[in-house]
């Protein structure tokens, strides 16, 4: 962890380098060159697998997520999400309790139409079930992008045994690069979240004999509710 003393030492070293070069670091031409290089950085190699459109992209996302041991349910409208979550918990004989953050997309849903008991705020490790709203999904790997903040506390990603994630179908991108660009465009410098978590399937680990253990470092179940994907073909 960086300390004030570390920062001072770093600043001293950089100041020495600048003096040796005869620059301050504030020269307009030098700053322009750096800004241009950052803005015009070439994209890396993007796998072809995720470069599909429409329903094909969603089918790829679902297949990859399920291959990583997540489960996926599809609903057509946001209002159907609470009932889908209640059905999922019931099907796994789990209590009708659910913790969430202050995300307005979740707060606006008709939770009162279900028997679910809702708690708001970060988890202290005693919650069995939690729900988050993803910023987006990556089709090429079935990965969820979750940004930290009071709307979707990071503790909900890791502490409860069962993590349910709501994902808008329109937010599923083909590749990671597209989601990173979307995040920068929407939030930008000075407003970026403290943490971006890329989650692929439930937490799992294997010993030297390759025996799989679920829930090794986080949730043992990851369930995705995909909203508005047109599974019925409409």
């Amino acid at each position: 962890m960086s300390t004030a003393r570390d920062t001072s030492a770093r600043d001293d070293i950089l100041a020495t380098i600048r003096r040796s070069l005869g620059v301050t670091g504030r020269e307009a031409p030098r700053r322009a060159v750096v800004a241009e290089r950052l803005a015009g950085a070439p994209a890396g190699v993007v796998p072809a697998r995720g470069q599909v459109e429409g329903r094909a992209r969603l089918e790829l996302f679902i297949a990859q997520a399920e291959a990583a041991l997540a489960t996926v349910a599809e609903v057509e409208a946001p209002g159907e999400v609470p009932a889908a979550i209640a059905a999922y918990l019931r099907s796994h004989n789990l209590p009708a309790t659910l913790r969430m953050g202050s995300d307005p997309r979740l707060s606006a849903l008709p939770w009162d139409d279900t028997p679910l008991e809702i708690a708001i705020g970060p988890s202290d490790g005693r919650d069995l079930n939690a729900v988050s709203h993803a910023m987006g999904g990556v089709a090429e790997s079935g990965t969820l992008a979750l940004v930290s903040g009071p709307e979707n506390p990071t503790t909900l990603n890791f502490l409860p045994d069962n993590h349910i994630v709501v994902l808008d179908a329109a937010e599923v991108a083909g590749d990671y690069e597209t989601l990173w660009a979307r995040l920068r465009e929407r939030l930008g410098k000075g407003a970026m979240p403290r943490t971006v978590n890329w989650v692929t399937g439930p937490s799992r680990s294997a010993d030297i004999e390759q025996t799989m253990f679920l829930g090794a470092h986080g949730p043992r179940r990851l369930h995705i509710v995909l909203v508005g994907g047109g599974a019925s073909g409409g």
Side-chain angles (χ1 to χ4, degrees), residues 165-226:
V165 178
V166 179
L167 172 63
D168 293 334
E171 301 291 355
V172 176
D175 50 75
Y176 289 87
E177 288 80 1
T178 298
L179 275 190
W180 274 121
R182 189 179 297 167
L183 180 65
R184 295 187 185 100
E185 179 183 348
R186 291 181 181 177
L187 298 178
K189 185 176 181 180
M192 293 289 281
R194 183 177 180 85
T195 305
V196 179
N197 292 297
W198 301 90
V199 176
T200 309
S203 174
R204 57 202 183 278
S205 185
D207 61 17
I208 196 170
E209 295 179 350
Q210 295 300 299
T211 300
M212 185 70 72
F213 295 95
L214 295 178
H217 312 292
R220 67 181 68 249
R221 293 189 182 96
L222 175 65
H223 182 61
I224 303 167
V225 181
L226 186 64

Side-chain angles (χ1 to χ4, degrees), residues 14 20 23 45 54 56 66 78 89 118 122 135 137 140 145 173 196 200 202 213 215 227 229 232:
L14 293 175
S20 70
V23 299
V45 176
E66 291 178 341
L89 295 177
I118 306 297
M135 186 209 84
E140 66 173 285
V196 179
T200 309
F213 295 95
V227 183
S232 63

Side-chain angles (χ1 to χ4, degrees), residues 39-208:
V45 176
V46 177
R49 179 170 61 188
Q51 305 311 300
V52 290
E53 301 293 335
R55 184 64 198 177
R57 178 183 294 169
L58 298 181
E59 294 287 359
L60 175 62
F61 173 82
I62 292 169
Q64 293 297 107
E66 291 178 341
L69 305 182
T71 54
V72 182
E74 293 193 74
V75 298
E76 277 306 301
E80 300 173 40
V81 169
I85 292 176
Y88 172 78
L89 295 177
R90 186 167 56 250
S91 71
H92 287 83
N93 199 31
L94 293 168
T97 60
L98 194 63
R99 179 167 288 277
M100 68 176 70
S102 60
D103 193 304
R105 295 167 295 184
L106 296 178
S107 301
L109 299 179
W111 300 104
D112 290 343
D113 294 346
T114 73
L116 294 175
E117 178 183 332
I118 306 297
I120 306 296
S123 176
D124 62 3
R126 292 180 290 181
D127 301 291
L128 194 59
N129 312 311
V131 61
S132 301
H133 203 297
M135 186 209 84
V138 181
E140 66 173 285
S141 57
T143 298
L144 296 164
L146 297 148
V147 297
S148 64
E151 295 83 3
N152 293 284
T154 294
T155 52
L156 303 187
N157 299 352
F158 299 108
L159 297 183
D161 266 2
N162 308 287
H163 191 201
I164 301 165
V165 178
V166 179
L167 172 63
D168 293 334
E171 301 291 355
V172 176
D175 50 75
Y176 289 87
E177 288 80 1
T178 298
L179 275 190
W180 274 121
R182 189 179 297 167
L183 180 65
R184 295 187 185 100
E185 179 183 348
R186 291 181 181 177
L187 298 178
K189 185 176 181 180
M192 293 289 281
R194 183 177 180 85
T195 305
V196 179
N197 292 297
W198 301 90
V199 176
T200 309
S203 174
R204 57 202 183 278
S205 185
D207 61 17
I208 196 170

